[in-house]
Amino acid sequence: MARPARAAFVTLLTTALCSTLCTGLVSSARAVPASVQTTQQAPAVLAPATTEGVAPTAAGVGKALAAVLKDPSLGPHHGVYVYDASRGKPVFSVGAATPYTPASTLKLLTTVSALSTLGPDHTFATKVVSAGKGSIVLVGGGDPLLAVKPAADYPTRATLQTLAASTAKALKAQGITRVTLGYDASLFTGPAANAHWEANYLPEGIAAPTTALWVNEGRISPGMAKRATLPALAAATSFSKLLSTNGITVAATKAATAPAQAAPIAQVKSPTLGQIVEYINQHSDNDGAEVLLRQVGIATGNGGSYVGGVKGVRATLTKLGLDVSKATIYDGSGLTRANKVPLALLAGAVQVAASKDHPELRHLLTGLPIAGFNGSLRERFTTAGTGTGTGLVHAKTGTLTGVHSLAGYARDRSGTLLVFAVASDSVPVPKTLDARAALDRTTAALANCGC
């Protein structure tokens, strides 16, 4: 997004979020002393917004959604769960007794767990350390957004270009202009590809092998689908070339393990985790979500593997008060159809992020795509019956063949903050667009509800 457009969007987003999340409006005007009052009429001031309007009822919400939930394009297994976040209680559900294949709405569970375990201000460092005279090691810290060079993107990413320049400067200060280069991606363990993914996911560029050291999310070049077979080696190769342009000759590049307590030569730090979470959810970034899954595993003491990450997510969600007993989770992105998650749990991730008890989770909310405006909802909410949701529905999308879901929040017409999850994992392939539009109508009806 171009920066002027982004600035305008940030203003719009801030306004929208305040109207959605703030509990009231407070006038900043100060009382004018009687001695300096004039006959000029005082400007009108809006009355404070009410936190809660008419309480929604199950009957009212059910009536508002009745027609759309009968849409045959949704297939036989579809449902919706609605939670009244203003009053802290479930208000409506239908078809929510059995879990669903969540697709990318699963990212809500991964990202809320990352925010909870690491905190929104956490950053990931990519380092160069000394491994002896004339030997250095590039150490991956699991930065999901590490890039080769700067780009006009948000958030501003750490780059190998910056790291190479700092490294070269430090080496030259020691009189070193020739080195061997090792690369260490040992922070993450276990298979780099998920055993439950489709066999074609990696070769077709749907996902990259997950590693603690990569650039451009494993892509051979930014924006391209094709991925490196060995992302850590590709990152080290790019770093070697950048060192060369900075006057350091690299004699050899090979996998290595950094010595314990090795002295750092230079490092770059990622954007904050809060910014990364916003990016991942807005763009439905599969690769970034898989990296955060491993980071949750490490942060919870379960290790940086898929198994460890899933254990960490389940433990963290439980600690947040969410019931994971009926959930089956295998990855962090939702790419596998083997994931099965109750709608109440998907909505629960949004629910706890909106709670006054968990301000550290707010980036989950601020990063959700906005209907008709940005992210994976930019081109949505354009069909009949969806206009009332434009700009008001904030939701994470989920899409696989035959699977469509939305989970997020909307403030209804009475002022109630409604958190929702709606999904179908039985959509007939010819009805894909119709089913997606039906989910849009469902959430738009919630935003328009005075139920």
Side-chain angles (χ1 to χ4, degrees):
M1 181 182 294
R3 294 195 180 277
R6 174 174 174 73
F9 169 71
V10 168
T11 301
L12 175 64
L13 175 59
T14 302
T15 303
L17 284 172
C18 185
S19 66
T20 304
L21 299 174
C22 296
T23 57
L25 298 176
V26 180
S27 173
S28 61
R30 297 181 178 179
V32 180
S35 59
V36 296
Q37 287 180 352
T38 68
T39 57
Q40 183 178 359
Q41 185 175 3
V45 177
L46 290 175
T50 57
T51 302
E52 301 173 3
V54 177
T57 65
V61 174
K63 182 178 180 180
L65 302 184
V68 67
L69 291 177
K70 293 178 181 177
D71 192 317
S73 69
L74 290 174
H77 189 224
H78 65 273
V80 60
Y81 174 90
V82 182
Y83 182 89
D84 180 346
S86 294
R87 297 167 184 83
K89 63 181 182 179
V91 65
F92 178 79
S93 68
V94 62
T98 56
Y100 287 77
T101 298
S104 282
T105 50
L106 185 83
K107 293 181 177 71
L108 293 173
L109 306 186
T110 305
T111 53
V112 80
S113 296
L115 287 169
S116 181
T117 56
L118 294 166
D121 296 326
H122 186 84
T123 58
F124 306 108
T126 305
K127 302 178 181 179
V128 174
V129 302
S130 174
K133 184 67 173 180
S135 180
I136 61 174
V137 181
L138 175 65
V139 183
D143 177 355
L145 300 184
L146 183 66
V148 176
K149 299 178 181 179
D153 196 8
Y154 178 85
T156 302
R157 306 184 184 206
T159 69
L160 289 185
Q161 186 179 77
T162 299
L163 184 60
S166 298
T167 301
K169 182 177 180 180
L171 290 172
K172 289 175 182 177
Q174 300 174 37
I176 299 171
T177 58
R178 181 181 179 86
V179 296
T180 59
L181 172 64
Y183 60 93
D184 184 347
S186 62
L187 181 65
F188 295 167
T189 57
N194 195 294
H196 294 273
W197 287 351
E198 300 292 330
N200 65 334
Y201 278 2
L202 266 61
E204 291 190 6
I206 295 172
T210 305
T211 174
L213 175 62
W214 65 15
V215 286
N216 306 326
E217 298 191 87
R219 291 173 172 83
I220 291 176
S221 59
M224 301 299 290
K226 190 173 182 180
R227 311 302 180 102
T229 305
L230 299 171
L233 173 59
T237 300
S238 293
F239 187 64
S240 175
K241 293 176 181 178
L242 290 166
L243 284 176
S244 179
T245 62
N246 282 274
I248 301 296
T249 300
V250 178
T253 301
K254 59 182 179 180
T257 300
Q261 308 302 320
I265 296 172
Q267 69 173 7
V268 289
K269 290 187 176 182
S270 72
T272 66
L273 177 60
Q275 292 172 319
I276 292 171
V277 164
E278 290 178 340
Y279 180 91
I280 287 173
N281 284 332
Q282 187 173 131
H283 298 280
S284 202
D285 180 357
N286 295 320
D287 300 302
E290 296 302 343
V291 169
L292 290 192
L293 179 74
R294 309 293 187 104
Q295 297 285 13
V296 170
I298 293 168
T300 55
N302 290 291
S305 66
Y306 272 110
V307 172
V310 170
K311 285 182 178 178
V313 164
R314 295 181 71 92
T316 303
L317 295 175
T318 300
K319 188 175 180 180
L320 288 170
L322 302 179
D323 181 6
V324 299
S325 62
K326 296 181 181 179
T328 302
I329 302 171
Y330 289 107
D331 66 11
S333 62
L335 278 175
T336 175
R337 295 173 182 276
N339 294 321
K340 299 293 180 181
V341 178
L343 296 181
L345 179 55
L346 294 174
V350 181
Q351 170 194 327
V352 296
S355 166
K356 67 180 187 303
D357 297 326
H358 291 287
E360 75 279 7
L361 306 180
R362 293 292 189 266
H363 286 274
L364 187 84
L365 306 180
T366 56
L368 291 178
I370 301 174
F373 278 85
N374 69 347
S376 55
L377 286 182
R378 184 183 181 90
E379 306 299 330
R380 301 271 293 261
F381 289 76
T382 58
T383 57
T386 64
T388 54
T390 302
L392 298 177
V393 171
H394 299 236
K396 180 71 199 74
T397 56
T399 305
L400 291 169
T401 303
V403 177
H404 296 277
S405 56
L406 285 174
Y409 65 89
R411 180 81 71 176
D412 77 2
R413 287 192 302 160
S414 72
T416 295
L417 182 65
L418 295 177
V419 171
F420 60 81
V422 56
S424 171
D425 55 9
S426 59
V427 175
V429 174
K431 296 294 185 179
T432 292
L433 295 180
D434 294 336
R436 192 173 71 175
L439 297 192
D440 293 352
R441 291 199 305 277
T442 300
T443 57
L446 292 175
N448 192 45
C449 194
C451 348

